[in-house]
Amino acid sequence: MYNTTFPDDDLSRFFQQLARTSGLLESVQTPHEHAGVRLSMSETFALGELAVAGPLSQRELAERMGLEKSTVSRLAAGMEGRGWLRRERQADNRRLYRLELTTEGSDVAERVGAELREHHGRLLAGLTEQERHALRVGLGALVRELDAAHRHS
């Protein structure tokens, strides 16, 4: 074994395994198929955020997704081109866009969301209640610490 500064602990191995098995190591541009629709992970998350929250400004969507505003601007333009959302300039500040799912976008979000909910249900069904609870607590704490680390960097 080589002498390295890379972490070699259980948490690191779990992250690597999770990234490999979930496909997170693939190019961000690689679309995946959900409910018969090919879409990127960013499109999937944006559809979910807009389906849950309703109309958002591009800035609000960027904050929710942890992405740069310019990245969300390109993402929104692409989704608008697919007929999934409307981008309207806000009347009180013409520099800002308001994003809202179209009927087609809502339909895609509903279908993709239903498939993801079913998939997550199957994944979690093999865990005991104690394991599900431990996962919620542990992942919640990890997300809290990751958020704190990003705010301080």
Side-chain angles (χ1 to χ4, degrees):
M1 177 161 249
Y2 295 104
N3 185 13
T4 178
T5 58
F6 274 90
D8 184 27
D9 55 50
D10 288 342
L11 188 57
S12 295
R13 284 188 290 279
F14 286 136
F15 276 138
Q16 290 170 354
Q17 198 170 8
L18 184 62
R20 276 195 304 273
T21 58
S22 66
L24 291 176
L25 293 179
E26 295 176 13
S27 167
V28 175
Q29 303 303 319
T30 302
H32 298 272
E33 187 165 319
H34 296 289
V37 179
R38 291 195 57 77
L39 66 170
S40 70
M41 191 174 296
S42 294
E43 289 171 324
T44 304
F45 282 113
L47 283 171
E49 290 293 342
L50 290 164
V52 169
L56 296 169
S57 71
Q58 282 186 178
R59 181 185 52 78
E60 290 168 329
L61 184 60
E63 287 172 3
R64 286 172 172 256
M65 294 181 66
L67 296 173
E68 296 292 324
K69 288 183 279 186
S70 60
T71 301
V72 171
S73 179
R74 288 188 299 276
L75 175 64
M79 292 174 69
E80 183 180 38
R82 294 183 80 169
W84 294 349
L85 66 80
R86 273 185 296 284
R87 288 190 314 162
E88 296 176 352
R89 291 206 184 267
Q90 294 185 349
D92 58 336
N93 186 342
R94 302 290 296 159
R95 293 178 301 149
L96 300 179
Y97 281 102
R98 179 177 166 268
L99 307 177
E100 183 174 8
L101 291 178
T102 61
T103 302
E104 183 180 351
S106 292
D107 178 61
V108 169
E110 179 67 29
R111 292 184 0 238
V112 168
E115 182 178 289
L116 289 172
R117 180 181 298 260
E118 183 180 309
H119 177 69
H120 294 169
R122 284 192 310 271
L123 287 174
L124 296 175
L127 302 179
T128 67
E129 181 54 40
Q130 183 179 12
E131 289 170 327
R132 284 192 297 275
H133 175 74
L135 188 60
R136 283 190 299 272
V137 171
L139 288 177
L142 182 59
V143 167
R144 179 192 69 229
E145 293 303 312
L146 287 169
D147 282 344
H150 286 158
R151 281 193 304 271
H152 293 105
S153 60

PDB file of all heavy atoms in Angstrom, residues 50-88:
ATOM      1  N   LEU A  50     -39.423  22.908  -8.194  1.00  0.00           N
ATOM      2  CA  LEU A  50     -40.527  23.721  -8.698  1.00  0.00           C
ATOM      3  C   LEU A  50     -41.874  23.046  -8.457  1.00  0.00           C
ATOM      4  O   LEU A  50     -42.868  23.728  -8.205  1.00  0.00           O
ATOM      5  CB  LEU A  50     -40.329  24.033 -10.187  1.00  0.00           C
ATOM      6  CG  LEU A  50     -39.175  24.999 -10.471  1.00  0.00           C
ATOM      7  CD1 LEU A  50     -38.786  24.949 -11.944  1.00  0.00           C
ATOM      8  CD2 LEU A  50     -39.534  26.410 -10.045  1.00  0.00           C
ATOM      9  N   ALA A  51     -41.909  21.719  -8.499  1.00  0.00           N
ATOM     10  CA  ALA A  51     -43.162  21.002  -8.238  1.00  0.00           C
ATOM     11  C   ALA A  51     -43.574  21.157  -6.780  1.00  0.00           C
ATOM     12  O   ALA A  51     -44.761  21.306  -6.474  1.00  0.00           O
ATOM     13  CB  ALA A  51     -43.011  19.522  -8.597  1.00  0.00           C
ATOM     14  N   VAL A  52     -42.610  21.149  -5.876  1.00  0.00           N
ATOM     15  CA  VAL A  52     -42.901  21.249  -4.442  1.00  0.00           C
ATOM     16  C   VAL A  52     -43.181  22.698  -4.034  1.00  0.00           C
ATOM     17  O   VAL A  52     -44.144  22.976  -3.320  1.00  0.00           O
ATOM     18  CB  VAL A  52     -41.737  20.673  -3.605  1.00  0.00           C
ATOM     19  CG1 VAL A  52     -41.884  21.003  -2.140  1.00  0.00           C
ATOM     20  CG2 VAL A  52     -41.652  19.164  -3.805  1.00  0.00           C
ATOM     21  N   ALA A  53     -42.340  23.624  -4.495  1.00  0.00           N
ATOM     22  CA  ALA A  53     -42.412  25.012  -4.033  1.00  0.00           C
ATOM     23  C   ALA A  53     -43.351  25.883  -4.848  1.00  0.00           C
ATOM     24  O   ALA A  53     -43.804  26.911  -4.366  1.00  0.00           O
ATOM     25  CB  ALA A  53     -41.012  25.633  -4.050  1.00  0.00           C
ATOM     26  N   GLY A  54     -43.610  25.491  -6.094  1.00  0.00           N
ATOM     27  CA  GLY A  54     -44.350  26.384  -6.980  1.00  0.00           C
ATOM     28  C   GLY A  54     -43.377  27.355  -7.627  1.00  0.00           C
ATOM     29  O   GLY A  54     -42.158  27.138  -7.595  1.00  0.00           O
ATOM     30  N   PRO A  55     -43.873  28.432  -8.206  1.00  0.00           N
ATOM     31  CA  PRO A  55     -42.991  29.374  -8.911  1.00  0.00           C
ATOM     32  C   PRO A  55     -41.886  29.913  -8.003  1.00  0.00           C
ATOM     33  O   PRO A  55     -42.111  30.209  -6.825  1.00  0.00           O
ATOM     34  CB  PRO A  55     -43.940  30.500  -9.329  1.00  0.00           C
ATOM     35  CG  PRO A  55     -45.290  29.864  -9.365  1.00  0.00           C
ATOM     36  CD  PRO A  55     -45.277  28.840  -8.271  1.00  0.00           C
ATOM     37  N   LEU A  56     -40.684  30.010  -8.571  1.00  0.00           N
ATOM     38  CA  LEU A  56     -39.518  30.535  -7.865  1.00  0.00           C
ATOM     39  C   LEU A  56     -38.768  31.473  -8.786  1.00  0.00           C
ATOM     40  O   LEU A  56     -38.837  31.337 -10.011  1.00  0.00           O
ATOM     41  CB  LEU A  56     -38.567  29.396  -7.468  1.00  0.00           C
ATOM     42  CG  LEU A  56     -39.041  28.351  -6.482  1.00  0.00           C
ATOM     43  CD1 LEU A  56     -38.056  27.182  -6.429  1.00  0.00           C
ATOM     44  CD2 LEU A  56     -39.216  28.970  -5.098  1.00  0.00           C
ATOM     45  N   SER A  57     -38.007  32.388  -8.205  1.00  0.00           N
ATOM     46  CA  SER A  57     -37.089  33.173  -9.025  1.00  0.00           C
ATOM     47  C   SER A  57     -35.889  32.288  -9.343  1.00  0.00           C
ATOM     48  O   SER A  57     -35.652  31.276  -8.672  1.00  0.00           O
ATOM     49  CB  SER A  57     -36.629  34.425  -8.270  1.00  0.00           C
ATOM     50  OG  SER A  57     -35.759  34.078  -7.208  1.00  0.00           O
ATOM     51  N   GLN A  58     -35.135  32.665 -10.366  1.00  0.00           N
ATOM     52  CA  GLN A  58     -33.928  31.896 -10.686  1.00  0.00           C
ATOM     53  C   GLN A  58     -32.981  31.901  -9.500  1.00  0.00           C
ATOM     54  O   GLN A  58     -32.348  30.894  -9.197  1.00  0.00           O
ATOM     55  CB  GLN A  58     -33.236  32.459 -11.928  1.00  0.00           C
ATOM     56  CG  GLN A  58     -33.903  32.049 -13.206  1.00  0.00           C
ATOM     57  CD  GLN A  58     -33.155  32.462 -14.460  1.00  0.00           C
ATOM     58  OE1 GLN A  58     -33.605  32.144 -15.529  1.00  0.00           O
ATOM     59  NE2 GLN A  58     -32.050  33.143 -14.377  1.00  0.00           N
ATOM     60  N   ARG A  59     -32.891  33.026  -8.792  1.00  0.00           N
ATOM     61  CA  ARG A  59     -32.024  33.129  -7.620  1.00  0.00           C
ATOM     62  C   ARG A  59     -32.459  32.143  -6.539  1.00  0.00           C
ATOM     63  O   ARG A  59     -31.639  31.442  -5.951  1.00  0.00           O
ATOM     64  CB  ARG A  59     -32.028  34.560  -7.068  1.00  0.00           C
ATOM     65  CG  ARG A  59     -31.135  34.751  -5.855  1.00  0.00           C
ATOM     66  CD  ARG A  59     -31.252  36.150  -5.258  1.00  0.00           C
ATOM     67  NE  ARG A  59     -32.617  36.554  -4.974  1.00  0.00           N
ATOM     68  CZ  ARG A  59     -33.333  36.146  -3.912  1.00  0.00           C
ATOM     69  NH1 ARG A  59     -32.815  35.301  -3.058  1.00  0.00           N
ATOM     70  NH2 ARG A  59     -34.566  36.568  -3.729  1.00  0.00           N
ATOM     71  N   GLU A  60     -33.758  32.063  -6.290  1.00  0.00           N
ATOM     72  CA  GLU A  60     -34.272  31.129  -5.278  1.00  0.00           C
ATOM     73  C   GLU A  60     -33.985  29.683  -5.664  1.00  0.00           C
ATOM     74  O   GLU A  60     -33.592  28.874  -4.816  1.00  0.00           O
ATOM     75  CB  GLU A  60     -35.774  31.326  -5.080  1.00  0.00           C
ATOM     76  CG  GLU A  60     -36.143  32.624  -4.400  1.00  0.00           C
ATOM     77  CD  GLU A  60     -37.630  32.927  -4.478  1.00  0.00           C
ATOM     78  OE1 GLU A  60     -38.296  32.531  -5.475  1.00  0.00           O
ATOM     79  OE2 GLU A  60     -38.122  33.569  -3.541  1.00  0.00           O
ATOM     80  N   LEU A  61     -34.177  29.358  -6.950  1.00  0.00           N
ATOM     81  CA  LEU A  61     -33.888  27.994  -7.398  1.00  0.00           C
ATOM     82  C   LEU A  61     -32.402  27.696  -7.258  1.00  0.00           C
ATOM     83  O   LEU A  61     -32.020  26.604  -6.828  1.00  0.00           O
ATOM     84  CB  LEU A  61     -34.365  27.779  -8.835  1.00  0.00           C
ATOM     85  CG  LEU A  61     -34.205  26.362  -9.372  1.00  0.00           C
ATOM     86  CD1 LEU A  61     -34.982  25.347  -8.538  1.00  0.00           C
ATOM     87  CD2 LEU A  61     -34.662  26.296 -10.835  1.00  0.00           C
ATOM     88  N   ALA A  62     -31.553  28.659  -7.593  1.00  0.00           N
ATOM     89  CA  ALA A  62     -30.103  28.472  -7.456  1.00  0.00           C
ATOM     90  C   ALA A  62     -29.735  28.201  -6.002  1.00  0.00           C
ATOM     91  O   ALA A  62     -28.940  27.300  -5.708  1.00  0.00           O
ATOM     92  CB  ALA A  62     -29.356  29.706  -7.974  1.00  0.00           C
ATOM     93  N   GLU A  63     -30.332  28.941  -5.071  1.00  0.00           N
ATOM     94  CA  GLU A  63     -30.054  28.733  -3.646  1.00  0.00           C
ATOM     95  C   GLU A  63     -30.517  27.353  -3.199  1.00  0.00           C
ATOM     96  O   GLU A  63     -29.805  26.658  -2.484  1.00  0.00           O
ATOM     97  CB  GLU A  63     -30.744  29.817  -2.815  1.00  0.00           C
ATOM     98  CG  GLU A  63     -30.088  31.172  -2.930  1.00  0.00           C
ATOM     99  CD  GLU A  63     -30.894  32.282  -2.259  1.00  0.00           C
ATOM    100  OE1 GLU A  63     -31.950  31.996  -1.641  1.00  0.00           O
ATOM    101  OE2 GLU A  63     -30.460  33.441  -2.360  1.00  0.00           O
ATOM    102  N   ARG A  64     -31.701  26.958  -3.618  1.00  0.00           N
ATOM    103  CA  ARG A  64     -32.237  25.652  -3.220  1.00  0.00           C
ATOM    104  C   ARG A  64     -31.394  24.505  -3.756  1.00  0.00           C
ATOM    105  O   ARG A  64     -31.261  23.473  -3.108  1.00  0.00           O
ATOM    106  CB  ARG A  64     -33.673  25.492  -3.710  1.00  0.00           C
ATOM    107  CG  ARG A  64     -34.674  26.295  -2.921  1.00  0.00           C
ATOM    108  CD  ARG A  64     -36.043  26.240  -3.609  1.00  0.00           C
ATOM    109  NE  ARG A  64     -37.050  26.839  -2.788  1.00  0.00           N
ATOM    110  CZ  ARG A  64     -37.959  26.165  -2.078  1.00  0.00           C
ATOM    111  NH1 ARG A  64     -37.981  24.855  -2.125  1.00  0.00           N
ATOM    112  NH2 ARG A  64     -38.838  26.793  -1.350  1.00  0.00           N
ATOM    113  N   MET A  65     -30.837  24.689  -4.956  1.00  0.00           N
ATOM    114  CA  MET A  65     -30.072  23.617  -5.584  1.00  0.00           C
ATOM    115  C   MET A  65     -28.578  23.700  -5.286  1.00  0.00           C
ATOM    116  O   MET A  65     -27.832  22.780  -5.613  1.00  0.00           O
ATOM    117  CB  MET A  65     -30.309  23.624  -7.099  1.00  0.00           C
ATOM    118  CG  MET A  65     -31.740  23.266  -7.474  1.00  0.00           C
ATOM    119  SD  MET A  65     -32.023  23.247  -9.262  1.00  0.00           S
ATOM    120  CE  MET A  65     -30.987  21.873  -9.767  1.00  0.00           C
ATOM    121  N   GLY A  66     -28.141  24.812  -4.693  1.00  0.00           N
ATOM    122  CA  GLY A  66     -26.715  24.977  -4.409  1.00  0.00           C
ATOM    123  C   GLY A  66     -25.890  25.180  -5.663  1.00  0.00           C
ATOM    124  O   GLY A  66     -24.750  24.736  -5.743  1.00  0.00           O
ATOM    125  N   LEU A  67     -26.486  25.861  -6.652  1.00  0.00           N
ATOM    126  CA  LEU A  67     -25.808  26.098  -7.929  1.00  0.00           C
ATOM    127  C   LEU A  67     -25.614  27.595  -8.150  1.00  0.00           C
ATOM    128  O   LEU A  67     -26.311  28.417  -7.558  1.00  0.00           O
ATOM    129  CB  LEU A  67     -26.643  25.539  -9.090  1.00  0.00           C
ATOM    130  CG  LEU A  67     -26.863  24.037  -9.114  1.00  0.00           C
ATOM    131  CD1 LEU A  67     -27.841  23.667 -10.227  1.00  0.00           C
ATOM    132  CD2 LEU A  67     -25.535  23.303  -9.296  1.00  0.00           C
ATOM    133  N   GLU A  68     -24.680  27.934  -9.015  1.00  0.00           N
ATOM    134  CA  GLU A  68     -24.467  29.325  -9.411  1.00  0.00           C
ATOM    135  C   GLU A  68     -25.668  29.810 -10.216  1.00  0.00           C
ATOM    136  O   GLU A  68     -26.311  29.031 -10.929  1.00  0.00           O
ATOM    137  CB  GLU A  68     -23.201  29.455 -10.261  1.00  0.00           C
ATOM    138  CG  GLU A  68     -21.918  29.099  -9.539  1.00  0.00           C
ATOM    139  CD  GLU A  68     -21.572  30.099  -8.451  1.00  0.00           C
ATOM    140  OE1 GLU A  68     -21.834  31.306  -8.640  1.00  0.00           O
ATOM    141  OE2 GLU A  68     -21.053  29.664  -7.405  1.00  0.00           O
ATOM    142  N   LYS A  69     -25.955  31.114 -10.103  1.00  0.00           N
ATOM    143  CA  LYS A  69     -27.094  31.682 -10.837  1.00  0.00           C
ATOM    144  C   LYS A  69     -26.943  31.490 -12.344  1.00  0.00           C
ATOM    145  O   LYS A  69     -27.925  31.210 -13.030  1.00  0.00           O
ATOM    146  CB  LYS A  69     -27.263  33.168 -10.506  1.00  0.00           C
ATOM    147  CG  LYS A  69     -27.801  33.406  -9.111  1.00  0.00           C
ATOM    148  CD  LYS A  69     -28.024  34.877  -8.837  1.00  0.00           C
ATOM    149  CE  LYS A  69     -26.698  35.490  -8.460  1.00  0.00           C
ATOM    150  NZ  LYS A  69     -26.761  36.884  -8.033  1.00  0.00           N
ATOM    151  N   SER A  70     -25.712  31.599 -12.863  1.00  0.00           N
ATOM    152  CA  SER A  70     -25.509  31.430 -14.302  1.00  0.00           C
ATOM    153  C   SER A  70     -25.803  30.002 -14.735  1.00  0.00           C
ATOM    154  O   SER A  70     -26.340  29.771 -15.824  1.00  0.00           O
ATOM    155  CB  SER A  70     -24.087  31.827 -14.695  1.00  0.00           C
ATOM    156  OG  SER A  70     -23.146  31.016 -14.020  1.00  0.00           O
ATOM    157  N   THR A  71     -25.488  29.033 -13.881  1.00  0.00           N
ATOM    158  CA  THR A  71     -25.778  27.631 -14.178  1.00  0.00           C
ATOM    159  C   THR A  71     -27.285  27.415 -14.221  1.00  0.00           C
ATOM    160  O   THR A  71     -27.805  26.739 -15.122  1.00  0.00           O
ATOM    161  CB  THR A  71     -25.144  26.710 -13.121  1.00  0.00           C
ATOM    162  OG1 THR A  71     -23.732  26.937 -13.107  1.00  0.00           O
ATOM    163  CG2 THR A  71     -25.424  25.246 -13.405  1.00  0.00           C
ATOM    164  N   VAL A  72     -28.000  27.990 -13.272  1.00  0.00           N
ATOM    165  CA  VAL A  72     -29.455  27.847 -13.237  1.00  0.00           C
ATOM    166  C   VAL A  72     -30.087  28.576 -14.413  1.00  0.00           C
ATOM    167  O   VAL A  72     -31.088  28.121 -14.970  1.00  0.00           O
ATOM    168  CB  VAL A  72     -30.027  28.329 -11.886  1.00  0.00           C
ATOM    169  CG1 VAL A  72     -31.546  28.403 -11.924  1.00  0.00           C
ATOM    170  CG2 VAL A  72     -29.584  27.387 -10.786  1.00  0.00           C
ATOM    171  N   SER A  73     -29.509  29.678 -14.834  1.00  0.00           N
ATOM    172  CA  SER A  73     -30.022  30.399 -16.000  1.00  0.00           C
ATOM    173  C   SER A  73     -29.957  29.503 -17.242  1.00  0.00           C
ATOM    174  O   SER A  73     -30.927  29.403 -18.004  1.00  0.00           O
ATOM    175  CB  SER A  73     -29.215  31.674 -16.221  1.00  0.00           C
ATOM    176  OG  SER A  73     -29.684  32.359 -17.351  1.00  0.00           O
ATOM    177  N   ARG A  74     -28.825  28.823 -17.436  1.00  0.00           N
ATOM    178  CA  ARG A  74     -28.698  27.901 -18.578  1.00  0.00           C
ATOM    179  C   ARG A  74     -29.637  26.710 -18.431  1.00  0.00           C
ATOM    180  O   ARG A  74     -30.273  26.277 -19.394  1.00  0.00           O
ATOM    181  CB  ARG A  74     -27.246  27.429 -18.726  1.00  0.00           C
ATOM    182  CG  ARG A  74     -26.305  28.491 -19.252  1.00  0.00           C
ATOM    183  CD  ARG A  74     -24.921  27.935 -19.564  1.00  0.00           C
ATOM    184  NE  ARG A  74     -24.255  27.372 -18.402  1.00  0.00           N
ATOM    185  CZ  ARG A  74     -23.561  28.056 -17.500  1.00  0.00           C
ATOM    186  NH1 ARG A  74     -23.446  29.361 -17.632  1.00  0.00           N
ATOM    187  NH2 ARG A  74     -22.978  27.451 -16.489  1.00  0.00           N
ATOM    188  N   LEU A  75     -29.739  26.182 -17.214  1.00  0.00           N
ATOM    189  CA  LEU A  75     -30.637  25.066 -16.939  1.00  0.00           C
ATOM    190  C   LEU A  75     -32.075  25.463 -17.254  1.00  0.00           C
ATOM    191  O   LEU A  75     -32.802  24.726 -17.926  1.00  0.00           O
ATOM    192  CB  LEU A  75     -30.497  24.649 -15.475  1.00  0.00           C
ATOM    193  CG  LEU A  75     -31.450  23.573 -14.959  1.00  0.00           C
ATOM    194  CD1 LEU A  75     -31.218  22.251 -15.665  1.00  0.00           C
ATOM    195  CD2 LEU A  75     -31.266  23.416 -13.443  1.00  0.00           C
ATOM    196  N   ALA A  76     -32.497  26.626 -16.788  1.00  0.00           N
ATOM    197  CA  ALA A  76     -33.863  27.096 -17.021  1.00  0.00           C
ATOM    198  C   ALA A  76     -34.127  27.318 -18.514  1.00  0.00           C
ATOM    199  O   ALA A  76     -35.202  26.972 -19.015  1.00  0.00           O
ATOM    200  CB  ALA A  76     -34.122  28.384 -16.233  1.00  0.00           C
ATOM    201  N   ALA A  77     -33.151  27.865 -19.215  1.00  0.00           N
ATOM    202  CA  ALA A  77     -33.324  28.073 -20.662  1.00  0.00           C
ATOM    203  C   ALA A  77     -33.519  26.741 -21.369  1.00  0.00           C
ATOM    204  O   ALA A  77     -34.367  26.617 -22.268  1.00  0.00           O
ATOM    205  CB  ALA A  77     -32.115  28.816 -21.228  1.00  0.00           C
ATOM    206  N   GLY A  78     -32.744  25.733 -20.975  1.00  0.00           N
ATOM    207  CA  GLY A  78     -32.891  24.409 -21.574  1.00  0.00           C
ATOM    208  C   GLY A  78     -34.244  23.789 -21.266  1.00  0.00           C
ATOM    209  O   GLY A  78     -34.875  23.181 -22.138  1.00  0.00           O
ATOM    210  N   MET A  79     -34.692  23.942 -20.030  1.00  0.00           N
ATOM    211  CA  MET A  79     -35.991  23.383 -19.645  1.00  0.00           C
ATOM    212  C   MET A  79     -37.126  24.143 -20.320  1.00  0.00           C
ATOM    213  O   MET A  79     -38.146  23.549 -20.673  1.00  0.00           O
ATOM    214  CB  MET A  79     -36.136  23.407 -18.124  1.00  0.00           C
ATOM    215  CG  MET A  79     -35.183  22.432 -17.431  1.00  0.00           C
ATOM    216  SD  MET A  79     -35.208  22.556 -15.635  1.00  0.00           S
ATOM    217  CE  MET A  79     -36.856  21.912 -15.291  1.00  0.00           C
ATOM    218  N   GLU A  80     -36.935  25.427 -20.524  1.00  0.00           N
ATOM    219  CA  GLU A  80     -37.925  26.212 -21.262  1.00  0.00           C
ATOM    220  C   GLU A  80     -37.999  25.721 -22.704  1.00  0.00           C
ATOM    221  O   GLU A  80     -39.091  25.562 -23.265  1.00  0.00           O
ATOM    222  CB  GLU A  80     -37.549  27.693 -21.218  1.00  0.00           C
ATOM    223  CG  GLU A  80     -38.548  28.601 -21.897  1.00  0.00           C
ATOM    224  CD  GLU A  80     -38.125  30.059 -21.823  1.00  0.00           C
ATOM    225  OE1 GLU A  80     -36.918  30.360 -21.936  1.00  0.00           O
ATOM    226  OE2 GLU A  80     -39.031  30.899 -21.663  1.00  0.00           O
ATOM    227  N   GLY A  81     -36.844  25.438 -23.273  1.00  0.00           N
ATOM    228  CA  GLY A  81     -36.791  24.914 -24.637  1.00  0.00           C
ATOM    229  C   GLY A  81     -37.467  23.559 -24.776  1.00  0.00           C
ATOM    230  O   GLY A  81     -37.989  23.223 -25.839  1.00  0.00           O
ATOM    231  N   ARG A  82     -37.492  22.792 -23.702  1.00  0.00           N
ATOM    232  CA  ARG A  82     -38.155  21.485 -23.715  1.00  0.00           C
ATOM    233  C   ARG A  82     -39.647  21.614 -23.431  1.00  0.00           C
ATOM    234  O   ARG A  82     -40.366  20.609 -23.439  1.00  0.00           O
ATOM    235  CB  ARG A  82     -37.508  20.559 -22.681  1.00  0.00           C
ATOM    236  CG  ARG A  82     -36.061  20.209 -23.051  1.00  0.00           C
ATOM    237  CD  ARG A  82     -35.444  19.250 -22.090  1.00  0.00           C
ATOM    238  NE  ARG A  82     -35.894  17.900 -22.415  1.00  0.00           N
ATOM    239  CZ  ARG A  82     -35.381  16.807 -21.891  1.00  0.00           C
ATOM    240  NH1 ARG A  82     -34.406  16.888 -21.000  1.00  0.00           N
ATOM    241  NH2 ARG A  82     -35.847  15.608 -22.215  1.00  0.00           N
ATOM    242  N   GLY A  83     -40.091  22.828 -23.141  1.00  0.00           N
ATOM    243  CA  GLY A  83     -41.508  23.053 -22.873  1.00  0.00           C
ATOM    244  C   GLY A  83     -41.918  22.752 -21.445  1.00  0.00           C
ATOM    245  O   GLY A  83     -43.102  22.637 -21.148  1.00  0.00           O
ATOM    246  N   TRP A  84     -40.938  22.655 -20.529  1.00  0.00           N
ATOM    247  CA  TRP A  84     -41.229  22.265 -19.158  1.00  0.00           C
ATOM    248  C   TRP A  84     -41.456  23.443 -18.219  1.00  0.00           C
ATOM    249  O   TRP A  84     -42.036  23.277 -17.157  1.00  0.00           O
ATOM    250  CB  TRP A  84     -40.110  21.412 -18.591  1.00  0.00           C
ATOM    251  CG  TRP A  84     -39.963  20.089 -19.263  1.00  0.00           C
ATOM    252  CD1 TRP A  84     -40.828  19.505 -20.159  1.00  0.00           C
ATOM    253  CD2 TRP A  84     -38.889  19.172 -19.105  1.00  0.00           C
ATOM    254  NE1 TRP A  84     -40.339  18.281 -20.562  1.00  0.00           N
ATOM    255  CE2 TRP A  84     -39.158  18.054 -19.922  1.00  0.00           C
ATOM    256  CE3 TRP A  84     -37.733  19.188 -18.348  1.00  0.00           C
ATOM    257  CZ2 TRP A  84     -38.305  16.956 -20.004  1.00  0.00           C
ATOM    258  CZ3 TRP A  84     -36.884  18.103 -18.425  1.00  0.00           C
ATOM    259  CH2 TRP A  84     -37.168  16.996 -19.253  1.00  0.00           C
ATOM    260  N   LEU A  85     -40.952  24.609 -18.582  1.00  0.00           N
ATOM    261  CA  LEU A  85     -41.181  25.764 -17.716  1.00  0.00           C
ATOM    262  C   LEU A  85     -41.275  27.048 -18.511  1.00  0.00           C
ATOM    263  O   LEU A  85     -40.862  27.119 -19.658  1.00  0.00           O
ATOM    264  CB  LEU A  85     -40.136  25.870 -16.594  1.00  0.00           C
ATOM    265  CG  LEU A  85     -38.672  26.142 -16.894  1.00  0.00           C
ATOM    266  CD1 LEU A  85     -38.407  27.617 -17.159  1.00  0.00           C
ATOM    267  CD2 LEU A  85     -37.857  25.729 -15.688  1.00  0.00           C
ATOM    268  N   ARG A  86     -41.882  28.032 -17.845  1.00  0.00           N
ATOM    269  CA  ARG A  86     -41.982  29.386 -18.378  1.00  0.00           C
ATOM    270  C   ARG A  86     -41.036  30.253 -17.563  1.00  0.00           C
ATOM    271  O   ARG A  86     -40.991  30.169 -16.341  1.00  0.00           O
ATOM    272  CB  ARG A  86     -43.401  29.944 -18.187  1.00  0.00           C
ATOM    273  CG  ARG A  86     -44.364  29.625 -19.273  1.00  0.00           C
ATOM    274  CD  ARG A  86     -45.700  30.336 -19.036  1.00  0.00           C
ATOM    275  NE  ARG A  86     -46.364  29.886 -17.818  1.00  0.00           N
ATOM    276  CZ  ARG A  86     -47.019  28.727 -17.697  1.00  0.00           C
ATOM    277  NH1 ARG A  86     -47.085  27.910 -18.722  1.00  0.00           N
ATOM    278  NH2 ARG A  86     -47.596  28.401 -16.560  1.00  0.00           N
ATOM    279  N   ARG A  87     -40.303  31.103 -18.266  1.00  0.00           N
ATOM    280  CA  ARG A  87     -39.463  32.104 -17.600  1.00  0.00           C
ATOM    281  C   ARG A  87     -40.058  33.455 -17.930  1.00  0.00           C
ATOM    282  O   ARG A  87     -40.122  33.850 -19.081  1.00  0.00           O
ATOM    283  CB  ARG A  87     -38.024  32.063 -18.116  1.00  0.00           C
ATOM    284  CG  ARG A  87     -37.251  30.879 -17.663  1.00  0.00           C
ATOM    285  CD  ARG A  87     -35.773  30.974 -17.969  1.00  0.00           C
ATOM    286  NE  ARG A  87     -35.477  31.406 -19.319  1.00  0.00           N
ATOM    287  CZ  ARG A  87     -34.301  31.879 -19.707  1.00  0.00           C
ATOM    288  NH1 ARG A  87     -33.323  32.008 -18.842  1.00  0.00           N
ATOM    289  NH2 ARG A  87     -34.080  32.230 -20.947  1.00  0.00           N
ATOM    290  N   GLU A  88     -40.489  34.146 -16.906  1.00  0.00           N
ATOM    291  CA  GLU A  88     -41.068  35.473 -17.118  1.00  0.00           C
ATOM    292  C   GLU A  88     -40.288  36.483 -16.306  1.00  0.00           C
ATOM    293  O   GLU A  88     -39.983  36.248 -15.142  1.00  0.00           O
ATOM    294  CB  GLU A  88     -42.537  35.484 -16.690  1.00  0.00           C
ATOM    295  CG  GLU A  88     -43.408  34.572 -17.508  1.00  0.00           C
ATOM    296  CD  GLU A  88     -44.842  34.531 -16.994  1.00  0.00           C
ATOM    297  OE1 GLU A  88     -45.122  35.094 -15.916  1.00  0.00           O
ATOM    298  OE2 GLU A  88     -45.669  33.925 -17.680  1.00  0.00           O
TER     299      GLU A  88
END
